[in-house]
Amino acid sequence: MTIQSLSSCVADTYSRFPVTLVRGKGCRVWDDRGKEYLDFAAGIAVCSLGHCHPGVTEAIARQAGTLVHISNLYWTLPQLEVAHLLTENSFADRVFFCNSGAESVEGALKLARRYGHEIRGPDCYEVICLEGSFHGRTLATVAATGQPAFQQGFEPMPSGFIHVPPDSITALKLAAGQRTAAVLIEPVQGEGGVRPVSDEFLLAAREICDRLGALLMFDEVQVGMGRTGTLFAYEQTPVVPDVICLAKALGNGFPIGAMLAKEEVISCLRPGSHASTFGGNPVACAAAKVVIETLTSPGFLDRVKETGTYLKKGLESLAGRHPKAILEVRGRGLIQAIEFRKPVPELANRLMEEGFLVLLGQEKILRLVPPLIVTKAEIDAVLDALENNI
């Protein structure tokens, strides 16, 4: 049987590149013909420590040979250790474990409504989100997503979501009121074209939430876990949220998600109010423990900042040489985007043919999210490839 014949058995919900990848190591992957690719997609910002990181692989194998699953009816040491590491390194007091980014945001949305009901009454249920945002593919997270294209054909959307333009403090103030349970923000919009939200807007959101008794929730599914150069993206902003959502890089490829919150907030979720059968699985937590310990080891995130700055400066230099092709470069740390003046799917294909994996966004945007271990030499290689193909 061939890949082509077997592919007809899989739901056709992805626009896949015609490549079958079979092996990965560090920042590189290889297809079934033995061709090597330099990976600036990292499984969509997931494999931040690189493919088949030895420590993560060893932890997964060891835990898989010890205890794979027992549900959340019992304690496991890996889950408790990861919860301790996450709370020790953040503002949060407790962690709810799940399996994916969408599930972590879904949990945050339920938490916001529950908190609103308990603190301010049943009419407090609305969540203010940003236009251009992306929060996941479940029905509630699609409703929270500020891109109509993701909602088309799935209407009617669940009610209770209001979208305002990013950085429009006036629109945020007009939208906020007694029904506002939470404001949900990606500090850097990932799927929305890598757009950092301004500090002024975040400060305004914090002030409004404090005044109303609403929750400020950050979706850090893509930009958390070291991607921007600090363990969490909120650390580079002037505000501290009440809730953050994590997934993607948390398990370096092994599925795991987490919702973190302050004690006074998450305490409204009592036994039976929310759950996830596989959430905090011991194998996933064994992987996550290695990830967090590596990210917080001395010097690691300093190096991410250094290479992130190197990548951004290289892209800005590229944009300076090609002003007729490139509109803007933007991003933070090792999540950078190049917005072109024309659609660039063909450019992405040419880069792949030359051995570089990149992400497309909204047709005119190339998104670069390499493993956090990427070297300057590897960054130079992708910059040269871009230079030669623009």
Side-chain angles (χ1 to χ4, degrees):
M1 300 182 80
T2 65
I3 294 293
Q4 286 71 27
S5 63
L6 291 170
S7 66
S8 64
C9 303
V10 179
D12 193 22
T13 56
Y14 288 89
S15 297
R16 298 177 196 256
F17 290 100
V19 171
T20 303
L21 299 174
V22 297
R23 184 167 64 90
K25 184 176 182 181
C27 294
R28 297 169 191 273
V29 291
W30 289 263
D31 68 16
D32 57 350
R33 299 171 298 165
K35 182 176 179 178
E36 179 180 307
Y37 301 85
L38 190 52
D39 189 0
F40 273 72
I44 314 182
V46 167
C47 296
S48 286
L49 299 186
H51 298 277
C52 297
H53 181 276
V56 175
T57 300
E58 191 278 331
I60 290 172
R62 177 168 30 84
Q63 187 61 44
T66 305
L67 183 69
V68 171
H69 175 75
I70 60 162
S71 84
N72 283 296
L73 296 177
Y74 312 94
W75 297 110
T76 66
L77 188 58
Q79 185 182 112
L80 293 171
E81 290 175 332
V82 173
H84 176 70
L85 286 169
L86 288 172
T87 55
E88 186 180 43
N89 287 285
S90 72
F91 67 87
D93 301 307
R94 290 183 184 267
V95 181
F96 172 81
F97 287 104
C98 49
N99 307 289
S100 68
E103 200 182 341
S104 66
V105 176
E106 183 87 17
L109 295 172
K110 287 183 69 178
L111 175 61
R113 287 199 175 192
R114 186 78 168 212
Y115 183 80
H117 280 218
E118 293 206 355
I119 303 299
R120 292 159 54 210
D123 289 336
C124 178
Y125 60 89
E126 289 181 344
V127 178
I128 299 175
C129 311
L130 300 189
E131 295 175 1
S133 62
F134 180 86
H135 296 295
R137 297 281 191 168
T138 67
L139 200 54
T141 56
V142 164
T145 292
Q147 300 186 59
F150 290 102
Q151 301 170 351
Q152 290 174 3
F154 300 107
E155 301 89 347
M157 287 290 106
S159 62
F161 296 95
I162 298 173
H163 295 89
V164 301
D167 293 341
S168 175
I169 296 174
T170 300
L172 178 62
K173 288 181 176 177
L174 289 172
Q178 292 307 310
R179 291 180 179 173
T180 304
V183 177
L184 175 62
I185 297 173
E186 294 168 279
V188 180
Q189 291 188 339
E191 305 291 332
V194 187
R195 299 179 186 278
V197 176
S198 72
D199 287 350
E200 293 75 17
F201 186 84
L202 296 177
L203 284 167
R206 181 70 274 178
E207 187 278 325
I208 289 170
C209 288
D210 289 343
R211 175 166 50 81
L212 294 174
L215 302 181
L216 180 60
M217 308 194 301
F218 277 9
D219 178 345
E220 295 209 16
V221 168
Q222 185 154 172
V223 299
M225 304 313 298
R227 175 57 58 184
T228 63
T230 49
L231 188 59
F232 305 110
Y234 81 82
E235 297 176 82
Q236 297 184 44
T237 77
V239 305
V240 176
D242 302 300
V243 179
I244 55 173
C245 301
L246 303 172
K248 287 190 181 289
L250 181 56
N252 203 55
F254 205 96
I256 181 172
M259 176 186 67
L260 284 60
K262 296 176 180 176
E263 175 67 34
E264 63 268 28
V265 174
I266 205 167
S267 60
C268 68
L269 289 181
R270 288 178 280 279
S273 61
H274 192 51
S276 174
T277 297
F278 295 106
N281 174 286
V283 182
C285 285
K289 181 186 175 189
V290 175
V291 170
I292 300 169
E293 289 176 339
T294 304
L295 293 177
T296 56
S297 62
F300 186 95
L301 291 174
D302 290 337
R303 185 177 170 281
V304 173
K305 290 178 184 174
E306 183 180 338
T307 49
T309 299
Y310 188 79
L311 174 60
K312 188 176 183 64
K313 287 183 176 178
L315 293 174
E316 289 174 341
S317 178
L318 185 75
R321 293 192 297 276
H322 299 277
K324 293 182 179 178
I326 297 175
L327 180 64
E328 184 181 21
V329 170
R330 54 179 179 264
R332 191 172 288 166
L334 283 174
I335 176 170
Q336 297 289 336
I338 319 163
E339 181 166 354
F340 290 82
R341 297 183 186 279
K342 295 180 179 179
V344 288
E346 289 186 8
L347 174 58
N349 285 327
R350 288 201 300 273
L351 290 171
M352 188 184 69
E353 289 169 3
E354 293 189 7
F356 298 91
L357 303 184
V358 299
L359 295 172
L360 263 175
Q362 302 176 357
E363 289 206 328
K364 294 183 180 179
I365 298 171
L366 286 187
R367 187 160 36 119
L368 303 180
V369 285
L372 304 184
I373 60 171
V374 68
T375 65
K376 291 180 180 178
E378 289 166 335
I379 289 173
D380 286 340
V382 80
L383 290 172
D384 288 344
L386 284 164
E387 180 86 60
N388 295 333
N389 283 283
I390 290 175

